[in-house]
Amino acid sequence: MKRLNAQGLSYRELNEKIRALLDSGEKEIVIENVNGQRYIGTGVKAQARLVVHGVPGNNLGALMDGLHIEVYGNAQDGVGNTMNEGTIVVHGHATDITGYSMRGGKIFIRGHVGYRVGIHMKAFREKNPVIVVGGKAGDFFGEYMAGGTLVLLGLDIKPGEQIVGNYIATGMHGGEIFIRGKLDDDILIGKEAKVLEPEEKDYHRLEALIKEFAEYFDLDADKILAVPFIKLIPYNKRPYGNLYAY
């Protein structure tokens, strides 16, 4: 295991050090005093573990293929942007566009997330990307979603607080969204999506994901699963097909 002190380093300097260690065959790197340095793990194809202490900047793990990144703190915009494979675990909150165009791997966020989480998320060949959010989400959750699985748990939200903002699944044409509990009647759902009760096979898959989530954050999976979920899927996989000639 190698340790890096990010204090005073530019994002370029920090990422050059990380890549040099990975290129030398290092399998675990602990990065301390991270304070907004962006692109950590971006574009890396490797089977290794990065442990981040602090707040990484935008595009943590973007385009990455195989890394396991664990953040002890919050994360900024674009976590897992277009990631292909690997796992990102955030013990705090994450902001906007988490999982933007994600096409493989898993993201687990213990706290809340911002707007447009899972936007343009897609399945790619045999890959089925997954995002599990422990807290609440902002507007446009699952916007233009084309594949993969989003799970929103609403843990620790205050009484009367909404689990998700408006315009859920706007433009959705693939994938699935699972939300723990019920949605308030005044929450706006995209006209492209419909709400269903999960089937038994859905709960089997949810059980595996929730157990993995709970293991990372030392939570009780059975307690989380004791509350029913709802499921959102698209009405049509080509909702805009009639707009085009071909």
Side-chain angles (χ1 to χ4, degrees):
M1 181 183 71
K2 292 290 185 180
R3 291 185 177 273
L4 284 177
N5 186 355
Q7 187 170 4
L9 296 180
S10 70
Y11 76 90
R12 289 183 184 274
E13 292 171 319
L14 178 59
N15 284 305
E16 284 172 1
K17 290 178 180 291
I18 292 170
R19 285 179 176 274
L21 287 171
L22 292 172
D23 288 344
S24 71
E26 189 61 50
K27 294 301 183 184
E28 182 167 1
I29 304 170
V30 177
I31 312 163
E32 298 172 331
N33 299 312
V34 174
N35 188 20
Q37 288 96 337
R38 57 192 186 271
Y39 305 135
I40 293 173
T42 289
V44 173
K45 184 174 184 178
Q47 298 298 316
R49 185 168 184 259
L50 303 184
V51 179
V52 177
H53 293 275
V55 181
N58 292 354
N59 289 311
L60 172 74
L63 298 162
M64 81 173 196
D65 194 350
L67 283 178
H68 179 106
I69 300 177
E70 193 151 1
V71 178
Y72 290 90
N74 299 323
Q76 296 181 9
D77 292 353
V79 172
N81 178 355
T82 323
M83 69 182 280
N84 187 57
E85 192 57 81
T87 303
I88 300 176
V89 179
V90 178
H91 286 261
H93 308 301
T95 51
D96 299 342
I97 60 169
T98 296
Y100 176 83
S101 288
M102 180 183 179
R103 60 182 183 176
K106 297 177 181 177
I107 298 175
F108 298 95
I109 310 291
R110 173 60 182 88
H112 307 315
V113 290
Y115 298 137
R116 291 188 158 91
V117 170
I119 181 174
H120 288 300
M121 189 174 175
K122 57 183 70 69
F124 180 69
R125 295 180 180 173
E126 75 284 358
K127 299 180 186 297
N128 187 68
V130 173
I131 302 174
V132 182
V133 177
K136 62 182 180 179
D139 293 344
F140 297 103
F141 189 69
E143 184 182 29
Y144 300 123
M145 189 175 176
T149 302
L150 286 177
V151 182
L152 185 62
L153 300 178
L155 304 177
D156 306 325
I157 61 174
K158 299 175 183 177
E161 193 173 21
Q162 293 184 347
I163 188 173
V164 68
N166 284 316
Y167 313 114
I168 310 166
T170 298
M172 183 183 192
H173 54 282
E176 56 194 357
I177 300 172
F178 295 98
I179 297 176
R180 182 172 172 265
K182 296 180 179 180
L183 294 178
D184 293 346
D185 292 337
D186 58 347
I187 291 178
L188 301 178
I189 299 174
K191 64 182 181 180
E192 298 84 4
K194 56 185 174 182
V195 180
L196 305 171
E197 290 188 9
E199 301 176 9
E200 185 176 353
K201 63 180 181 181
D202 295 321
Y203 274 109
H204 284 310
R205 292 173 45 246
L206 278 171
E207 182 179 7
L209 290 174
I210 299 306
K211 284 183 176 179
E212 188 173 358
F213 174 89
E215 187 173 343
Y216 284 123
F217 303 118
D218 194 24
L219 297 170
D220 186 338
D222 291 336
K223 185 176 180 180
I224 296 171
L225 288 161
V227 176
F229 285 75
I230 61 170
K231 178 181 181 180
L232 283 76
I233 61 172
Y235 274 109
N236 186 343
K237 293 189 176 182
R238 293 190 71 243
Y240 307 110
N242 60 353
L243 298 179
Y244 303 98
Y246 301 101

